[in-house]
């Protein structure tokens, strides 16, 4: 299942925004190198065509492409990041917040 918000991820239930982001960052840092490379390639595949469109356009078209970029980038990359990080989230959460339990 794809999650568009960290609030909806069951492994992060009960945490506030700062704590959820801390767990996600720590989990993303511990992803294996091939997984990080795949994630970065996906991000490049999203960004490159939009930047090329921005570079070739003129006038108000630029604004439309920038808005498209600002909307599409997080909508596509966040669920992928969450999906790749989700298996390790319970262990990272326990490690980071074991003193609060």
């Amino acid at each position: 299942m794809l999650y568009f918000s960290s609030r909806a991820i069951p492994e992060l239930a009960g945490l506030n925004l700062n704590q959820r982001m801390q767990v996600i960052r720590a989990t993303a840092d511990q992803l294996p190198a091939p997984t990080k490379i795949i994630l970065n390639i996906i991000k490049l595949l999203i960004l490159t065509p939009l930047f090329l469109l921005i570079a070739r356009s003129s006038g108000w078209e630029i604004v439309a492409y920038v808005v498209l970029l600002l909307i599409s980038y997080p909508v596509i990359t966040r669920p992928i990041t969450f999906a790749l990080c989700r298996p390790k989230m319970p262990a990272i959460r326990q490690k980071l917040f074991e003193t609060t339990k």
Side-chain angles (χ1 to χ4, degrees):
M1 179 167 209
L2 291 178
Y3 296 101
F4 292 95
S5 171
S6 64
R7 194 178 314 147
I9 301 173
E11 290 82 1
L12 301 179
L15 298 177
N16 64 35
L17 177 63
N18 289 333
Q19 292 171 327
R20 289 192 310 263
M21 290 299 112
Q22 190 176 2
V23 171
I24 292 168
R25 265 186 247 117
T27 308
D29 288 344
Q30 292 187 3
L31 286 175
T35 306
K36 286 182 184 180
I37 291 170
I38 290 170
L39 183 59
N40 287 331
I41 289 172
I42 291 169
K43 290 177 182 180
L44 279 174
L45 290 174
I46 296 166
L47 292 175
T48 303
L50 290 173
F51 277 121
L52 289 174
L53 287 172
I54 291 169
R56 293 178 181 219
S57 61
S58 62
W60 288 99
E61 290 177 346
I62 294 173
V63 175
Y65 289 129
V66 168
V67 169
L68 179 64
L69 176 69
L70 291 173
I71 292 170
S72 65
Y73 183 75
V75 166
I76 295 171
T77 60
R78 284 178 57 102
I80 294 169
T81 302
F82 293 159
L84 292 174
C85 292
R86 195 165 169 221
K88 293 187 177 191
M89 282 182 185
I92 300 295
R93 177 184 177 165
Q94 184 178 6
K95 183 191 281 186
L96 290 175
F97 302 111
E98 63 186 303
T99 58
T100 59
K101 287 188 175 183

